[in-house]
Amino acid sequence: MYIFTRLNRINEVKVKLFLRSILLFAVLINVVQAQNKAEKYVLVIHGGAGTIERGRMTAEQEQAYRDKLKEALQVGYDVIKQHGSALDAVEKTVRVLEDSPLFNAGKGAVFTHDGKNELDAAVMDGKTLSAGAVAGVTTLRNPISAARAVMEKSEHVLLAREGAEAFAKEVGLAIVDPSYFYTKERWDGLQRARQQDAKKQVNHATERLGGGIQDYKFGTVGCVALDDQGNLAAGTSTGGMTNKKFGRIGDAPIIGAGTYANNESVAVSCTGWGEFYIRNVVAYDIAALMEYKNLSVKEAAETSLAKVAKGGGNGGLIALDKEGNMAMPFNTSGMYRGAVTEEGVVEVEIYKD
Ligand code: ASP
């Protein structure tokens, strides 16, 4: 009798030990899986790539950029969190950046050679592949909203200059005096660029390729978003490049070059020397590399940016795929950028390292 009870106890202890090790094993597997699981991002932004170096910025300036990027991310995240559309999130986020004088879009846009602010913007809906854009506008407070109106309220994709402005007025968008866009920093930037130009510091090959000096400050803004319906959207807004001439239009409003979104693959917004992004059809190239060659968003974004660099161009981009994987490569010393995860964790970066 005693022996039987003893044997049962031994078995009971063994079974308990066995169950405990299984439990421990399951816990360990979960921990490893959680560590390996990539974050799901729902919104990514950029505030332009260019010569952005630690030594050139005061602590206050850096803080101002970080705060504004965080504010923009939060505005977009709130839309997604409340089950809003990726398109709404993109428009609202870009408007925050357009309204800030810190970035080269809306207020704070760079000046053309003739001392004007000529703005370009585009938006694309990854669900329907519909798109809208405006180019060379001088009186529209928020070009991103005008781009969206072109997409939703006209039968066209790209409207330019006075025509775009008349349309925007007709649909009731905010019109401002061109002086609204003025900032002293950008005006001084134009004077420096003009002086360099006059001193013929632009080498002809460079000029022929890009129509500008490589070091001219960029600062375009862009946003890509993924909503809880699985829809992607992309938007880009810019003043273009300092000292641009002859009604030059960059890549931002060219669908497939600076802006693209397709639910089948990815949403992309680019920043940098626009001529190279147009020639390499960068935003669409990334989508094509993913769709036809099965590249990951990171591989595709880097491959496409390498083409820009190979041609002599520079800049960066943000890309977000339908699973919430993102990439934000750039080949300049910095790019204002940020992202927010599904859980609302906000990340903001400025410099390369
Ligand atoms: N890509 C813009 C353009 O070429 C400039 C920028 O990104 O800052 O117009």
Side-chain angles (χ1 to χ4, degrees), residues 46 48-49 104 120 217-221 238-241 244 248-253 270-275 277:
H46 69 75
N104 172 19
D120 302 336
K217 202 164 191 275
F218 302 142
T220 295
V221 307
T238 185
M241 290 176 81
K244 62 184 183 182
R248 179 263 190 193
I249 291 175
D251 58 312
C270 302
T271 171
W273 196 344
E275 280 70 10
Y277 285 76

Side-chain angles (χ1 to χ4, degrees), residues 22-266:
I22 288 188
L23 197 72
L24 191 69
F25 189 61
V27 169
L28 277 175
I29 288 205
N30 263 334
V31 169
V32 171
Q33 274 178 347
Q35 275 174 350
N36 287 342
K37 201 180 135 221
E39 285 291 358
K40 180 176 177 182
Y41 290 90
V42 292
L43 194 114
V44 188
I45 59 175
H46 69 75
T51 317
I52 306 165
E53 286 154 11
R54 256 197 193 86
R56 293 194 185 192
M57 229 190 292
T58 66
E60 292 75 38
Q61 280 169 332
E62 184 176 324
Q63 198 54 48
Y65 276 103
R66 287 184 181 277
D67 289 349
K68 193 48 80 175
L69 290 169
K70 281 185 192 157
E71 182 191 329
L73 285 167
Q74 195 60 49
V75 164
Y77 180 71
D78 288 347
V79 175
I80 301 289
K81 187 83 191 166
Q82 286 153 22
H83 314 291
S85 69
L87 209 52
D88 280 344
V90 164
E91 183 188 356
K92 288 211 169 114
T93 306
V94 171
R95 282 177 69 109
V96 172
L97 300 170
E98 284 179 339
D99 289 344
S100 163
L102 294 173
F103 302 97
N104 172 19
K107 184 160 182 68
V110 297
F111 284 89
T112 66
H113 183 72
D114 299 331
K116 292 184 190 152
N117 303 107
E118 295 181 354
L119 315 171
D120 302 336
V123 72
M124 184 154 182
D125 179 359
K127 183 183 175 188
T128 58
L129 298 189
S130 46
V134 292
V137 294
T138 58
T139 60
L140 305 185
R141 177 178 156 159
N142 291 108
I144 194 73
S145 298
R148 185 166 178 184
V150 172
M151 176 174 90
E152 291 176 339
K153 298 179 179 159
S154 86
E155 68 252 38
H156 307 297
V157 171
L158 173 58
L159 300 181
R161 302 181 172 270
E162 296 80 9
E165 288 167 358
F167 167 78
K169 204 169 172 186
E170 224 173 271
V171 297
L173 295 181
I175 308 292
V176 290
D177 187 83
S179 62
Y180 163 81
F181 299 106
Y182 174 91
T183 56
K184 187 177 180 308
E185 212 229 336
R186 300 301 192 196
W187 182 254
D188 293 346
L190 173 64
Q191 306 320 313
R192 283 194 299 273
R194 277 176 172 163
Q195 278 161 20
Q196 279 177 293
D197 219 2
K199 281 192 227 146
K200 291 272 175 280
Q201 283 184 0
V202 189
N203 95 29
H204 287 307
T206 305
E207 191 166 36
R208 189 168 42 79
L209 283 171
I213 297 172
Q214 213 169 336
D215 220 24
Y216 281 9
K217 202 164 191 275
F218 302 142
T220 295
V221 307
C223 176
V224 288
L226 171 65
D227 63 29
D228 61 9
Q229 304 292 304
N231 294 317
L232 287 166
T236 314
S237 182
T238 185
M241 290 176 81
T242 305
N243 204 26
K244 62 184 183 182
K245 295 170 189 155
F246 310 120
R248 179 263 190 193
I249 291 175
D251 58 312
I254 310 298
I255 298 302
T259 310
Y260 188 73
N262 186 336
N263 274 6
E264 293 304 312
S265 49
V266 68

